[in-house]
Amino acid sequence: SVYSEPYNQGNSVIFCNKSEQVGTKIYRGEVKILRLDTFADFFEHVKAIKIDVEGFEPYVLEGGRKVFIDLKVPFIQSEFQPAEIYMRKGNPWHYLGNLSDAGYNISRQGFETGAMTREEMMNERCYPQLVD
């Protein structure tokens, strides 16, 4: 079920169970959810993908293995907060490691810093918001 704010349909969320109202969000309708790999044939000429799904990034990668690993989309911009991935029962370090294993270079907050090494990616101290 799709819900959004009354005056901002672009700020939508999807829930598995339907109810008429979730907080201030209102019910907008039903959608069918499919794995990204279902559409792999359409990604043959795609040059870039943005992943910004509020902590569900590892699941996008899992559902798009053919797109990201076999077809190797040349550029992925992924915006995430490690804490959000933890809240969704994921692991941000595995997410970064899987992208790296697939041959993608990882940089933090833009390209000015250059690509991170695998050791830097796996070092939780690179993410001060998670460390007390």
Side-chain angles (χ1 to χ4, degrees):
S1 301
V2 178
Y3 296 84
S4 69
E5 297 296 336
Y7 302 104
N8 185 357
Q9 291 185 22
N11 184 18
S12 299
V13 293
I14 296 176
F15 293 100
C16 294
N17 301 317
K18 180 183 174 188
S19 70
E20 289 306 309
Q21 191 160 352
V22 178
T24 60
K25 298 181 183 330
I26 58 173
Y27 174 75
R28 298 291 183 181
E30 298 296 314
V31 294
K32 185 175 182 179
I33 298 174
L34 301 170
R35 297 174 67 88
L36 190 57
D37 279 347
T38 304
F39 304 99
D41 293 340
F42 296 103
F43 283 89
E44 198 171 313
H45 302 290
V46 171
K47 302 294 182 208
I49 293 178
K50 180 178 181 181
I51 304 172
D52 184 0
V53 290
E54 309 303 324
F56 291 100
E57 289 79 3
Y59 302 104
V60 170
L61 192 62
E62 181 181 319
R65 295 190 65 75
K66 184 174 182 180
V67 170
F68 297 116
I69 295 170
D70 297 344
L71 296 177
K72 189 83 164 57
V73 171
F75 180 82
I76 299 171
Q77 178 185 346
S78 180
E79 180 179 323
F80 70 93
Q81 295 292 326
E84 287 183 349
I85 292 178
Y86 280 129
M87 286 185 344
R88 310 290 192 265
K89 308 277 190 263
N91 185 314
W93 322 117
H94 291 162
Y95 173 62
L96 292 174
N98 288 339
L99 285 170
S100 179
D101 291 346
Y104 291 100
N105 292 321
I106 311 292
S107 66
R108 187 171 5 123
Q109 296 185 2
F111 298 104
E112 307 81 49
T113 59
M116 296 173 72
T117 66
R118 187 169 183 82
E119 292 75 29
E120 288 172 320
M121 283 186 278
M122 298 301 133
N123 183 350
E124 294 189 34
R125 288 175 294 178
C126 289
Y127 304 90
Q129 67 271 25
L130 291 180
V131 180
D132 293 327

